[in-house]
Amino acid sequence: MDKETEEDRKGDNSDEEKQNISPESSDIEDSGMERLRKFLTQKLRLIDSSDDQSDESQQGTLRELTLDGVIDYIKEHGNCKIITMAGAGISTSAGIPDFRSPSSGLYHKLDKYNLPHPQAIFELEFFMKNPEPFFTLARELLPEGFKPTISHYFIRLLWEKGLLLRHYTQNIDTLERVAGLPADKLVEAHGTFHTGRCLKCRAPYTLPWMKEKIIEGVIPKCEECEEGVVKPDIVFFGEMLPERFHLLAGRDFAQADLLIIMGSSLVVQPFASLVDRVRNNCPRLLINNEKVGMQDRLSRFLGLRQGLVFDSRSAHSGRDVAWLGDCDTGCQLLADKLGWGDELRALVQREHESLSAESGGEK
Ligand code: CNA
């Protein structure tokens, strides 16, 4: 996957800053900017020429820019094709830490590994030289005994209701599989712990085999070539994303009627920019602790359709909704408002009981 982009995430404050400028100076600035924008449009063809037209088709997709607006849209759209995109935030309530949450995120707990920088632990180049920090961390992250969350079962319910076009996840914890989402509905964009491979001879290995070594504190070495390290099939920085990701993203996003993004900081590319691949009139609902993935200042200035736009004064606003809070609470609320609340609660209880029984009764 690509390195994270250090985008200017202050883009949303630009209007507040503008309000402190006198109307006259702001008008002068605006007209200057508009001239520059037109110049770039005409000379450099930087801006999508279909923009004006698509602005029109963007009008009126949601009755109101709230969760209720999204609920009405789903109810009115008989056969709404929904894509869900998720990140580590849908698994934190299962006990798996995310990367970037302050204090609880993994990036804040890596001091003991003595890394050149936090991301190094997931960089292929660093792993080839020193796999130990990754395997030490893997002991904490191994998908053992973790139960899928309300958010995972909400996604499954979307599938059971025939509304899920596809679920794209950055997570490597396999909880979507454990929640019963069928493989054809799932794109594990950053790979998975489910399988592994020798970095030298490519011999395949299973999760139970890798797990045994990792739990023993041994670096898994290939039994075929007896040389290579066996790395779980998770995508490190510097590695290509699975072909399935590119193939299906190319088809799915243009067909989606609604995009729901949950529990991601939307900073890892190319996953983060999937939000731009739906049609211009496709509503996008973010369920997250914080606003993320917003249009940056340059894109806004150039009129580029990039990023989520929650600011109603922006030219590209009108279809993005942010529901801020816990993913599980947001998903349960969505289910309640869609009339599936009890069904979701019963599904979670049934599945958790059956997982507890499988693992010898532990809660
Ligand atoms: P991230 O960058 O750590 O962002 C997580 C986002 O979710 C942040 O915006 C948080 O505020 C938000 N968040 C955390 N908990 C909740 C919650 N309960 N409710 C609502 N919002 C919440 O993680 P991303 O997924 O965006 O980053 C991509 C990386 C993280 C991928 O490469 C993953 O492989 C990697 N990762 C995966 C896991 C996992 O598989 N569970 C765990 C840790 C990291």
Side-chain angles (χ1 to χ4, degrees), residues 87-89 92 96-101 170-173 190 263-265 288-290 325-327:
T92 51
I96 307 172
D98 66 3
F99 273 174
R100 295 173 189 80
S101 280
Q170 294 169 98
N171 294 346
I172 50 178
D173 56 27
H190 295 170
S264 175
S265 57
N288 207 43
N289 274 339
E290 52 182 340
D326 173 56
C327 286

mmCIF file with all atom_site columns, all heavy atoms in Angstrom, residues 87-89 92 96-101 170-173 190 263-265 288-290 325-327, ligand 1:
data_model
loop_
_atom_site.group_PDB
_atom_site.id
_atom_site.type_symbol
_atom_site.label_atom_id
_atom_site.label_alt_id
_atom_site.label_comp_id
_atom_site.label_asym_id
_atom_site.label_entity_id
_atom_site.label_seq_id
_atom_site.pdbx_PDB_ins_code
_atom_site.Cartn_x
_atom_site.Cartn_y
_atom_site.Cartn_z
_atom_site.occupancy
_atom_site.B_iso_or_equiv
_atom_site.pdbx_formal_charge
_atom_site.auth_seq_id
_atom_site.auth_comp_id
_atom_site.auth_asym_id
_atom_site.auth_atom_id
_atom_site.pdbx_PDB_model_num
ATOM   1   N N   . GLY A 1 87  ? -12.486 0.479   8.534  1.00 0.00 ? 87  GLY A N   1
ATOM   2   C CA  . GLY A 1 87  ? -11.121 0.484   9.047  1.00 0.00 ? 87  GLY A CA  1
ATOM   3   C C   . GLY A 1 87  ? -11.104 -0.044  10.464 1.00 0.00 ? 87  GLY A C   1
ATOM   4   O O   . GLY A 1 87  ? -12.120 -0.551  10.977 1.00 0.00 ? 87  GLY A O   1
ATOM   5   N N   . ALA A 1 88  ? -9.976  0.114   11.104 1.00 0.00 ? 88  ALA A N   1
ATOM   6   C CA  . ALA A 1 88  ? -9.729  -0.493  12.409 1.00 0.00 ? 88  ALA A CA  1
ATOM   7   C C   . ALA A 1 88  ? -10.775 -0.102  13.456 1.00 0.00 ? 88  ALA A C   1
ATOM   8   O O   . ALA A 1 88  ? -10.992 -0.845  14.422 1.00 0.00 ? 88  ALA A O   1
ATOM   9   C CB  . ALA A 1 88  ? -8.337  -0.117  12.888 1.00 0.00 ? 88  ALA A CB  1
ATOM   10  N N   . GLY A 1 89  ? -11.440 1.049   13.279 1.00 0.00 ? 89  GLY A N   1
ATOM   11  C CA  . GLY A 1 89  ? -12.416 1.531   14.255 1.00 0.00 ? 89  GLY A CA  1
ATOM   12  C C   . GLY A 1 89  ? -13.616 0.614   14.430 1.00 0.00 ? 89  GLY A C   1
ATOM   13  O O   . GLY A 1 89  ? -14.287 0.659   15.469 1.00 0.00 ? 89  GLY A O   1
ATOM   14  N N   . THR A 1 92  ? -12.361 -1.956  17.273 1.00 0.00 ? 92  THR A N   1
ATOM   15  C CA  . THR A 1 92  ? -11.801 -1.568  18.582 1.00 0.00 ? 92  THR A CA  1
ATOM   16  C C   . THR A 1 92  ? -12.664 -2.086  19.731 1.00 0.00 ? 92  THR A C   1
ATOM   17  O O   . THR A 1 92  ? -12.141 -2.494  20.767 1.00 0.00 ? 92  THR A O   1
ATOM   18  C CB  . THR A 1 92  ? -11.612 -0.038  18.710 1.00 0.00 ? 92  THR A CB  1
ATOM   19  O OG1 . THR A 1 92  ? -12.826 0.605   18.352 1.00 0.00 ? 92  THR A OG1 1
ATOM   20  C CG2 . THR A 1 92  ? -10.489 0.472   17.833 1.00 0.00 ? 92  THR A CG2 1
ATOM   21  N N   . ILE A 1 96  ? -9.434  -5.013  19.773 1.00 0.00 ? 96  ILE A N   1
ATOM   22  C CA  . ILE A 1 96  ? -8.250  -4.880  18.910 1.00 0.00 ? 96  ILE A CA  1
ATOM   23  C C   . ILE A 1 96  ? -7.944  -3.393  18.738 1.00 0.00 ? 96  ILE A C   1
ATOM   24  O O   . ILE A 1 96  ? -8.784  -2.653  18.206 1.00 0.00 ? 96  ILE A O   1
ATOM   25  C CB  . ILE A 1 96  ? -8.505  -5.533  17.527 1.00 0.00 ? 96  ILE A CB  1
ATOM   26  C CG1 . ILE A 1 96  ? -8.976  -6.978  17.709 1.00 0.00 ? 96  ILE A CG1 1
ATOM   27  C CG2 . ILE A 1 96  ? -7.256  -5.455  16.658 1.00 0.00 ? 96  ILE A CG2 1
ATOM   28  C CD1 . ILE A 1 96  ? -9.428  -7.652  16.436 1.00 0.00 ? 96  ILE A CD1 1
ATOM   29  N N   . PRO A 1 97  ? -6.798  -2.922  19.173 1.00 0.00 ? 97  PRO A N   1
ATOM   30  C CA  . PRO A 1 97  ? -6.533  -1.487  19.063 1.00 0.00 ? 97  PRO A CA  1
ATOM   31  C C   . PRO A 1 97  ? -6.387  -1.040  17.610 1.00 0.00 ? 97  PRO A C   1
ATOM   32  O O   . PRO A 1 97  ? -5.976  -1.826  16.754 1.00 0.00 ? 97  PRO A O   1
ATOM   33  C CB  . PRO A 1 97  ? -5.194  -1.310  19.801 1.00 0.00 ? 97  PRO A CB  1
ATOM   34  C CG  . PRO A 1 97  ? -4.587  -2.665  19.878 1.00 0.00 ? 97  PRO A CG  1
ATOM   35  C CD  . PRO A 1 97  ? -5.693  -3.665  19.783 1.00 0.00 ? 97  PRO A CD  1
ATOM   36  N N   . ASP A 1 98  ? -6.749  0.205   17.334 1.00 0.00 ? 98  ASP A N   1
ATOM   37  C CA  . ASP A 1 98  ? -6.527  0.752   15.991 1.00 0.00 ? 98  ASP A CA  1
ATOM   38  C C   . ASP A 1 98  ? -5.106  1.318   15.941 1.00 0.00 ? 98  ASP A C   1
ATOM   39  O O   . ASP A 1 98  ? -4.303  1.105   16.850 1.00 0.00 ? 98  ASP A O   1
ATOM   40  C CB  . ASP A 1 98  ? -7.615  1.770   15.612 1.00 0.00 ? 98  ASP A CB  1
ATOM   41  C CG  . ASP A 1 98  ? -7.603  3.031   16.456 1.00 0.00 ? 98  ASP A CG  1
ATOM   42  O OD1 . ASP A 1 98  ? -6.702  3.157   17.306 1.00 0.00 ? 98  ASP A OD1 1
ATOM   43  O OD2 . ASP A 1 98  ? -8.473  3.883   16.281 1.00 0.00 ? 98  ASP A OD2 1
ATOM   44  N N   . PHE A 1 99  ? -4.773  2.039   14.872 1.00 0.00 ? 99  PHE A N   1
ATOM   45  C CA  . PHE A 1 99  ? -3.442  2.640   14.760 1.00 0.00 ? 99  PHE A CA  1
ATOM   46  C C   . PHE A 1 99  ? -3.370  3.995   15.452 1.00 0.00 ? 99  PHE A C   1
ATOM   47  O O   . PHE A 1 99  ? -2.464  4.276   16.209 1.00 0.00 ? 99  PHE A O   1
ATOM   48  C CB  . PHE A 1 99  ? -3.086  2.856   13.284 1.00 0.00 ? 99  PHE A CB  1
ATOM   49  C CG  . PHE A 1 99  ? -2.459  1.673   12.616 1.00 0.00 ? 99  PHE A CG  1
ATOM   50  C CD1 . PHE A 1 99  ? -2.209  1.687   11.249 1.00 0.00 ? 99  PHE A CD1 1
ATOM   51  C CD2 . PHE A 1 99  ? -2.106  0.549   13.348 1.00 0.00 ? 99  PHE A CD2 1
ATOM   52  C CE1 . PHE A 1 99  ? -1.623  0.607   10.615 1.00 0.00 ? 99  PHE A CE1 1
ATOM   53  C CE2 . PHE A 1 99  ? -1.522  -0.542  12.720 1.00 0.00 ? 99  PHE A CE2 1
ATOM   54  C CZ  . PHE A 1 99  ? -1.288  -0.507  11.346 1.00 0.00 ? 99  PHE A CZ  1
ATOM   55  N N   . ARG A 1 100 ? -4.336  4.867   15.111 1.00 0.00 ? 100 ARG A N   1
ATOM   56  C CA  . ARG A 1 100 ? -4.108  6.288   15.360 1.00 0.00 ? 100 ARG A CA  1
ATOM   57  C C   . ARG A 1 100 ? -4.915  6.919   16.488 1.00 0.00 ? 100 ARG A C   1
ATOM   58  O O   . ARG A 1 100 ? -4.747  8.110   16.730 1.00 0.00 ? 100 ARG A O   1
ATOM   59  C CB  . ARG A 1 100 ? -4.334  7.085   14.066 1.00 0.00 ? 100 ARG A CB  1
ATOM   60  C CG  . ARG A 1 100 ? -3.312  6.731   13.012 1.00 0.00 ? 100 ARG A CG  1
ATOM   61  C CD  . ARG A 1 100 ? -3.609  7.359   11.678 1.00 0.00 ? 100 ARG A CD  1
ATOM   62  N NE  . ARG A 1 100 ? -2.719  6.806   10.667 1.00 0.00 ? 100 ARG A NE  1
ATOM   63  C CZ  . ARG A 1 100 ? -2.875  5.635   10.055 1.00 0.00 ? 100 ARG A CZ  1
ATOM   64  N NH1 . ARG A 1 100 ? -3.920  4.888   10.329 1.00 0.00 ? 100 ARG A NH1 1
ATOM   65  N NH2 . ARG A 1 100 ? -2.019  5.204   9.165  1.00 0.00 ? 100 ARG A NH2 1
ATOM   66  N N   . SER A 1 101 ? -5.791  6.179   17.139 1.00 0.00 ? 101 SER A N   1
ATOM   67  C CA  . SER A 1 101 ? -6.542  6.806   18.237 1.00 0.00 ? 101 SER A CA  1
ATOM   68  C C   . SER A 1 101 ? -5.549  7.250   19.311 1.00 0.00 ? 101 SER A C   1
ATOM   69  O O   . SER A 1 101 ? -4.642  6.491   19.669 1.00 0.00 ? 101 SER A O   1
ATOM   70  C CB  . SER A 1 101 ? -7.548  5.834   18.843 1.00 0.00 ? 101 SER A CB  1
ATOM   71  O OG  . SER A 1 101 ? -8.700  5.784   18.031 1.00 0.00 ? 101 SER A OG  1
ATOM   72  N N   . GLN A 1 170 ? -10.091 -2.442  5.383  1.00 0.00 ? 170 GLN A N   1
ATOM   73  C CA  . GLN A 1 170 ? -8.642  -2.333  5.517  1.00 0.00 ? 170 GLN A CA  1
ATOM   74  C C   . GLN A 1 170 ? -8.160  -3.277  6.609  1.00 0.00 ? 170 GLN A C   1
ATOM   75  O O   . GLN A 1 170 ? -6.970  -3.405  6.844  1.00 0.00 ? 170 GLN A O   1
ATOM   76  C CB  . GLN A 1 170 ? -8.257  -0.912  5.937  1.00 0.00 ? 170 GLN A CB  1
ATOM   77  C CG  . GLN A 1 170 ? -8.565  0.130   4.895  1.00 0.00 ? 170 GLN A CG  1
ATOM   78  C CD  . GLN A 1 170 ? -8.414  1.525   5.475  1.00 0.00 ? 170 GLN A CD  1
ATOM   79  O OE1 . GLN A 1 170 ? -7.414  2.179   5.306  1.00 0.00 ? 170 GLN A OE1 1
ATOM   80  N NE2 . GLN A 1 170 ? -9.431  1.982   6.164  1.00 0.00 ? 170 GLN A NE2 1
ATOM   81  N N   . ASN A 1 171 ? -9.118  -3.898  7.301  1.00 0.00 ? 171 ASN A N   1
ATOM   82  C CA  . ASN A 1 171 ? -8.750  -4.688  8.472  1.00 0.00 ? 171 ASN A CA  1
ATOM   83  C C   . ASN A 1 171 ? -8.170  -6.040  8.082  1.00 0.00 ? 171 ASN A C   1
ATOM   84  O O   . ASN A 1 171 ? -8.564  -6.636  7.074  1.00 0.00 ? 171 ASN A O   1
ATOM   85  C CB  . ASN A 1 171 ? -9.962  -4.857  9.391  1.00 0.00 ? 171 ASN A CB  1
ATOM   86  C CG  . ASN A 1 171 ? -10.385 -3.534  9.989  1.00 0.00 ? 171 ASN A CG  1
ATOM   87  O OD1 . ASN A 1 171 ? -9.623  -2.575  9.913  1.00 0.00 ? 171 ASN A OD1 1
ATOM   88  N ND2 . ASN A 1 171 ? -11.572 -3.472  10.549 1.00 0.00 ? 171 ASN A ND2 1
ATOM   89  N N   . ILE A 1 172 ? -7.273  -6.493  8.937  1.00 0.00 ? 172 ILE A N   1
ATOM   90  C CA  . ILE A 1 172 ? -6.582  -7.748  8.671  1.00 0.00 ? 172 ILE A CA  1
ATOM   91  C C   . ILE A 1 172 ? -6.969  -8.798  9.709  1.00 0.00 ? 172 ILE A C   1
ATOM   92  O O   . ILE A 1 172 ? -6.392  -9.865  9.769  1.00 0.00 ? 172 ILE A O   1
ATOM   93  C CB  . ILE A 1 172 ? -5.059  -7.495  8.714  1.00 0.00 ? 172 ILE A CB  1
ATOM   94  C CG1 . ILE A 1 172 ? -4.695  -6.743  10.003 1.00 0.00 ? 172 ILE A CG1 1
ATOM   95  C CG2 . ILE A 1 172 ? -4.614  -6.701  7.495  1.00 0.00 ? 172 ILE A CG2 1
ATOM   96  C CD1 . ILE A 1 172 ? -3.227  -6.480  10.191 1.00 0.00 ? 172 ILE A CD1 1
ATOM   97  N N   . ASP A 1 173 ? -7.955  -8.427  10.534 1.00 0.00 ? 173 ASP A N   1
ATOM   98  C CA  . ASP A 1 173 ? -8.270  -9.261  11.694 1.00 0.00 ? 173 ASP A CA  1
ATOM   99  C C   . ASP A 1 173 ? -9.237  -10.407 11.390 1.00 0.00 ? 173 ASP A C   1
ATOM   100 O O   . ASP A 1 173 ? -9.565  -11.184 12.291 1.00 0.00 ? 173 ASP A O   1
ATOM   101 C CB  . ASP A 1 173 ? -8.838  -8.391  12.834 1.00 0.00 ? 173 ASP A CB  1
ATOM   102 C CG  . ASP A 1 173 ? -10.057 -7.580  12.408 1.00 0.00 ? 173 ASP A CG  1
ATOM   103 O OD1 . ASP A 1 173 ? -10.786 -8.007  11.482 1.00 0.00 ? 173 ASP A OD1 1
ATOM   104 O OD2 . ASP A 1 173 ? -10.291 -6.504  12.987 1.00 0.00 ? 173 ASP A OD2 1
ATOM   105 N N   . HIS A 1 190 ? -6.215  -4.734  2.426  1.00 0.00 ? 190 HIS A N   1
ATOM   106 C CA  . HIS A 1 190 ? -4.849  -4.798  2.958  1.00 0.00 ? 190 HIS A CA  1
ATOM   107 C C   . HIS A 1 190 ? -4.472  -6.222  3.351  1.00 0.00 ? 190 HIS A C   1
ATOM   108 O O   . HIS A 1 190 ? -3.626  -6.437  4.213  1.00 0.00 ? 190 HIS A O   1
ATOM   109 C CB  . HIS A 1 190 ? -4.699  -3.842  4.148  1.00 0.00 ? 190 HIS A CB  1
ATOM   110 C CG  . HIS A 1 190 ? -4.856  -2.405  3.750  1.00 0.00 ? 190 HIS A CG  1
ATOM   111 N ND1 . HIS A 1 190 ? -4.967  -1.377  4.655  1.00 0.00 ? 190 HIS A ND1 1
ATOM   112 C CD2 . HIS A 1 190 ? -4.904  -1.818  2.530  1.00 0.00 ? 190 HIS A CD2 1
ATOM   113 C CE1 . HIS A 1 190 ? -5.094  -0.222  3.992  1.00 0.00 ? 190 HIS A CE1 1
ATOM   114 N NE2 . HIS A 1 190 ? -5.072  -0.478  2.714  1.00 0.00 ? 190 HIS A NE2 1
ATOM   115 N N   . GLY A 1 263 ? -15.264 3.849   10.840 1.00 0.00 ? 263 GLY A N   1
ATOM   116 C CA  . GLY A 1 263 ? -14.086 3.521   11.642 1.00 0.00 ? 263 GLY A CA  1
ATOM   117 C C   . GLY A 1 263 ? -12.756 3.572   10.931 1.00 0.00 ? 263 GLY A C   1
ATOM   118 O O   . GLY A 1 263 ? -11.902 2.725   11.173 1.00 0.00 ? 263 GLY A O   1
ATOM   119 N N   . SER A 1 264 ? -12.583 4.569   10.091 1.00 0.00 ? 264 SER A N   1
ATOM   120 C CA  . SER A 1 264 ? -11.273 4.714   9.433  1.00 0.00 ? 264 SER A CA  1
ATOM   121 C C   . SER A 1 264 ? -10.822 6.167   9.474  1.00 0.00 ? 264 SER A C   1
ATOM   122 O O   . SER A 1 264 ? -11.650 7.071   9.396  1.00 0.00 ? 264 SER A O   1
ATOM   123 C CB  . SER A 1 264 ? -11.369 4.266   7.966  1.00 0.00 ? 264 SER A CB  1
ATOM   124 O OG  . SER A 1 264 ? -10.145 4.511   7.312  1.00 0.00 ? 264 SER A OG  1
ATOM   125 N N   . SER A 1 265 ? -9.501  6.353   9.568  1.00 0.00 ? 265 SER A N   1
ATOM   126 C CA  . SER A 1 265 ? -8.991  7.729   9.515  1.00 0.00 ? 265 SER A CA  1
ATOM   127 C C   . SER A 1 265 ? -8.844  8.179   8.056  1.00 0.00 ? 265 SER A C   1
ATOM   128 O O   . SER A 1 265 ? -8.518  9.332   7.797  1.00 0.00 ? 265 SER A O   1
ATOM   129 C CB  . SER A 1 265 ? -7.641  7.826   10.231 1.00 0.00 ? 265 SER A CB  1
ATOM   130 O OG  . SER A 1 265 ? -6.737  6.918   9.648  1.00 0.00 ? 265 SER A OG  1
ATOM   131 N N   . ASN A 1 288 ? -18.036 7.677   12.360 1.00 0.00 ? 288 ASN A N   1
ATOM   132 C CA  . ASN A 1 288 ? -16.684 7.662   12.924 1.00 0.00 ? 288 ASN A CA  1
ATOM   133 C C   . ASN A 1 288 ? -16.624 8.578   14.139 1.00 0.00 ? 288 ASN A C   1
ATOM   134 O O   . ASN A 1 288 ? -17.462 9.464   14.302 1.00 0.00 ? 288 ASN A O   1
ATOM   135 C CB  . ASN A 1 288 ? -15.704 8.166   11.850 1.00 0.00 ? 288 ASN A CB  1
ATOM   136 C CG  . ASN A 1 288 ? -14.301 7.611   12.034 1.00 0.00 ? 288 ASN A CG  1
ATOM   137 O OD1 . ASN A 1 288 ? -14.120 6.430   12.307 1.00 0.00 ? 288 ASN A OD1 1
ATOM   138 N ND2 . ASN A 1 288 ? -13.296 8.459   11.918 1.00 0.00 ? 288 ASN A ND2 1
ATOM   139 N N   . ASN A 1 289 ? -15.583 8.367   14.949 1.00 0.00 ? 289 ASN A N   1
ATOM   140 C CA  . ASN A 1 289 ? -15.394 9.225   16.120 1.00 0.00 ? 289 ASN A CA  1
ATOM   141 C C   . ASN A 1 289 ? -15.095 10.677  15.749 1.00 0.00 ? 289 ASN A C   1
ATOM   142 O O   . ASN A 1 289 ? -15.307 11.574  16.549 1.00 0.00 ? 289 ASN A O   1
ATOM   143 C CB  . ASN A 1 289 ? -14.194 8.718   16.941 1.00 0.00 ? 289 ASN A CB  1
ATOM   144 C CG  . ASN A 1 289 ? -14.606 7.629   17.919 1.00 0.00 ? 289 ASN A CG  1
ATOM   145 O OD1 . ASN A 1 289 ? -15.779 7.519   18.256 1.00 0.00 ? 289 ASN A OD1 1
ATOM   146 N ND2 . ASN A 1 289 ? -13.653 6.835   18.359 1.00 0.00 ? 289 ASN A ND2 1
ATOM   147 N N   . GLU A 1 290 ? -14.550 10.853  14.563 1.00 0.00 ? 290 GLU A N   1
ATOM   148 C CA  . GLU A 1 290 ? -14.105 12.197  14.149 1.00 0.00 ? 290 GLU A CA  1
ATOM   149 C C   . GLU A 1 290 ? -14.344 12.350  12.649 1.00 0.00 ? 290 GLU A C   1
ATOM   150 O O   . GLU A 1 290 ? -14.474 11.354  11.935 1.00 0.00 ? 290 GLU A O   1
ATOM   151 C CB  . GLU A 1 290 ? -12.605 12.343  14.447 1.00 0.00 ? 290 GLU A CB  1
ATOM   152 C CG  . GLU A 1 290 ? -11.826 11.175  13.850 1.00 0.00 ? 290 GLU A CG  1
ATOM   153 C CD  . GLU A 1 290 ? -10.336 11.179  14.109 1.00 0.00 ? 290 GLU A CD  1
ATOM   154 O OE1 . GLU A 1 290 ? -9.796  12.251  14.424 1.00 0.00 ? 290 GLU A OE1 1
ATOM   155 O OE2 . GLU A 1 290 ? -9.705  10.109  13.948 1.00 0.00 ? 290 GLU A OE2 1
ATOM   156 N N   . GLY A 1 325 ? -19.406 9.552   16.364 1.00 0.00 ? 325 GLY A N   1
ATOM   157 C CA  . GLY A 1 325 ? -19.590 8.762   17.581 1.00 0.00 ? 325 GLY A CA  1
ATOM   158 C C   . GLY A 1 325 ? -19.080 7.357   17.349 1.00 0.00 ? 325 GLY A C   1
ATOM   159 O O   . GLY A 1 325 ? -18.378 7.090   16.363 1.00 0.00 ? 325 GLY A O   1
ATOM   160 N N   . ASP A 1 326 ? -19.462 6.487   18.256 1.00 0.00 ? 326 ASP A N   1
ATOM   161 C CA  . ASP A 1 326 ? -18.998 5.105   18.208 1.00 0.00 ? 326 ASP A CA  1
ATOM   162 C C   . ASP A 1 326 ? -19.678 4.337   17.056 1.00 0.00 ? 326 ASP A C   1
ATOM   163 O O   . ASP A 1 326 ? -20.888 4.463   16.860 1.00 0.00 ? 326 ASP A O   1
ATOM   164 C CB  . ASP A 1 326 ? -19.346 4.479   19.573 1.00 0.00 ? 326 ASP A CB  1
ATOM   165 C CG  . ASP A 1 326 ? -19.065 3.008   19.589 1.00 0.00 ? 326 ASP A CG  1
ATOM   166 O OD1 . ASP A 1 326 ? -17.925 2.631   19.313 1.00 0.00 ? 326 ASP A OD1 1
ATOM   167 O OD2 . ASP A 1 326 ? -19.999 2.234   19.871 1.00 0.00 ? 326 ASP A OD2 1
ATOM   168 N N   . CYS A 1 327 ? -18.890 3.555   16.329 1.00 0.00 ? 327 CYS A N   1
ATOM   169 C CA  . CYS A 1 327 ? -19.422 2.814   15.164 1.00 0.00 ? 327 CYS A CA  1
ATOM   170 C C   . CYS A 1 327 ? -20.579 1.892   15.547 1.00 0.00 ? 327 CYS A C   1
ATOM   171 O O   . CYS A 1 327 ? -21.590 1.822   14.832 1.00 0.00 ? 327 CYS A O   1
ATOM   172 C CB  . CYS A 1 327 ? -18.344 1.906   14.575 1.00 0.00 ? 327 CYS A CB  1
ATOM   173 S SG  . CYS A 1 327 ? -17.110 2.751   13.669 1.00 0.00 ? 327 CYS A SG  1
HETATM 174 P P1  . CNA B 2 .   ? -6.700  4.231   12.015 1.00 0.00 ? 1   CNA B P1  1
HETATM 175 O O1  . CNA B 2 .   ? -5.844  5.111   11.201 1.00 0.00 ? 1   CNA B O1  1
HETATM 176 O O2  . CNA B 2 .   ? -6.189  3.775   13.325 1.00 0.00 ? 1   CNA B O2  1
HETATM 177 O O3  . CNA B 2 .   ? -8.078  5.026   12.213 1.00 0.00 ? 1   CNA B O3  1
HETATM 178 C C1  . CNA B 2 .   ? -9.122  4.529   12.984 1.00 0.00 ? 1   CNA B C1  1
HETATM 179 C C2  . CNA B 2 .   ? -10.242 5.549   12.934 1.00 0.00 ? 1   CNA B C2  1
HETATM 180 O O4  . CNA B 2 .   ? -11.373 4.990   13.546 1.00 0.00 ? 1   CNA B O4  1
HETATM 181 C C3  . CNA B 2 .   ? -9.933  6.852   13.649 1.00 0.00 ? 1   CNA B C3  1
HETATM 182 O O5  . CNA B 2 .   ? -10.467 7.934   12.923 1.00 0.00 ? 1   CNA B O5  1
HETATM 183 C C4  . CNA B 2 .   ? -10.623 6.686   15.004 1.00 0.00 ? 1   CNA B C4  1
HETATM 184 O O6  . CNA B 2 .   ? -11.047 7.916   15.550 1.00 0.00 ? 1   CNA B O6  1
HETATM 185 C C5  . CNA B 2 .   ? -11.818 5.869   14.603 1.00 0.00 ? 1   CNA B C5  1
HETATM 186 N N1  . CNA B 2 .   ? -12.329 4.987   15.641 1.00 0.00 ? 1   CNA B N1  1
HETATM 187 C C6  . CNA B 2 .   ? -11.636 4.163   16.474 1.00 0.00 ? 1   CNA B C6  1
HETATM 188 N N2  . CNA B 2 .   ? -12.477 3.455   17.230 1.00 0.00 ? 1   CNA B N2  1
HETATM 189 C C7  . CNA B 2 .   ? -13.737 3.856   16.894 1.00 0.00 ? 1   CNA B C7  1
HETATM 190 C C8  . CNA B 2 .   ? -15.032 3.481   17.318 1.00 0.00 ? 1   CNA B C8  1
HETATM 191 N N3  . CNA B 2 .   ? -15.232 2.535   18.243 1.00 0.00 ? 1   CNA B N3  1
HETATM 192 N N4  . CNA B 2 .   ? -16.083 4.114   16.760 1.00 0.00 ? 1   CNA B N4  1
HETATM 193 C C9  . CNA B 2 .   ? -15.914 5.067   15.817 1.00 0.00 ? 1   CNA B C9  1
HETATM 194 N N5  . CNA B 2 .   ? -14.713 5.449   15.349 1.00 0.00 ? 1   CNA B N5  1
HETATM 195 C C10 . CNA B 2 .   ? -13.640 4.842   15.882 1.00 0.00 ? 1   CNA B C10 1
HETATM 196 O O7  . CNA B 2 .   ? -7.148  2.936   11.203 1.00 0.00 ? 1   CNA B O7  1
HETATM 197 P P2  . CNA B 2 .   ? -7.456  2.785   9.635  1.00 0.00 ? 1   CNA B P2  1
HETATM 198 O O8  . CNA B 2 .   ? -8.159  1.507   9.494  1.00 0.00 ? 1   CNA B O8  1
HETATM 199 O O9  . CNA B 2 .   ? -8.045  4.000   9.056  1.00 0.00 ? 1   CNA B O9  1
HETATM 200 O O10 . CNA B 2 .   ? -5.971  2.649   9.049  1.00 0.00 ? 1   CNA B O10 1
HETATM 201 C C11 . CNA B 2 .   ? -5.686  1.727   8.119  1.00 0.00 ? 1   CNA B C11 1
HETATM 202 C C12 . CNA B 2 .   ? -4.701  0.684   8.621  1.00 0.00 ? 1   CNA B C12 1
HETATM 203 C C13 . CNA B 2 .   ? -4.972  0.244   10.029 1.00 0.00 ? 1   CNA B C13 1
HETATM 204 C C14 . CNA B 2 .   ? -4.860  -0.546  7.820  1.00 0.00 ? 1   CNA B C14 1
HETATM 205 O O11 . CNA B 2 .   ? -3.701  -0.791  7.092  1.00 0.00 ? 1   CNA B O11 1
HETATM 206 C C15 . CNA B 2 .   ? -5.140  -1.703  8.781  1.00 0.00 ? 1   CNA B C15 1
HETATM 207 O O12 . CNA B 2 .   ? -4.547  -2.889  8.368  1.00 0.00 ? 1   CNA B O12 1
HETATM 208 C C16 . CNA B 2 .   ? -4.591  -1.227  10.044 1.00 0.00 ? 1   CNA B C16 1
HETATM 209 N N6  . CNA B 2 .   ? -5.089  -1.832  11.308 1.00 0.00 ? 1   CNA B N6  1
HETATM 210 C C17 . CNA B 2 .   ? -6.018  -2.833  11.278 1.00 0.00 ? 1   CNA B C17 1
HETATM 211 C C18 . CNA B 2 .   ? -6.472  -3.381  12.455 1.00 0.00 ? 1   CNA B C18 1
HETATM 212 C C19 . CNA B 2 .   ? -7.487  -4.494  12.391 1.00 0.00 ? 1   CNA B C19 1
HETATM 213 O O13 . CNA B 2 .   ? -7.450  -5.310  11.481 1.00 0.00 ? 1   CNA B O13 1
HETATM 214 N N7  . CNA B 2 .   ? -8.424  -4.531  13.337 1.00 0.00 ? 1   CNA B N7  1
HETATM 215 C C20 . CNA B 2 .   ? -6.008  -2.906  13.680 1.00 0.00 ? 1   CNA B C20 1
HETATM 216 C C21 . CNA B 2 .   ? -5.042  -1.869  13.681 1.00 0.00 ? 1   CNA B C21 1
HETATM 217 C C22 . CNA B 2 .   ? -4.603  -1.352  12.465 1.00 0.00 ? 1   CNA B C22 1
#
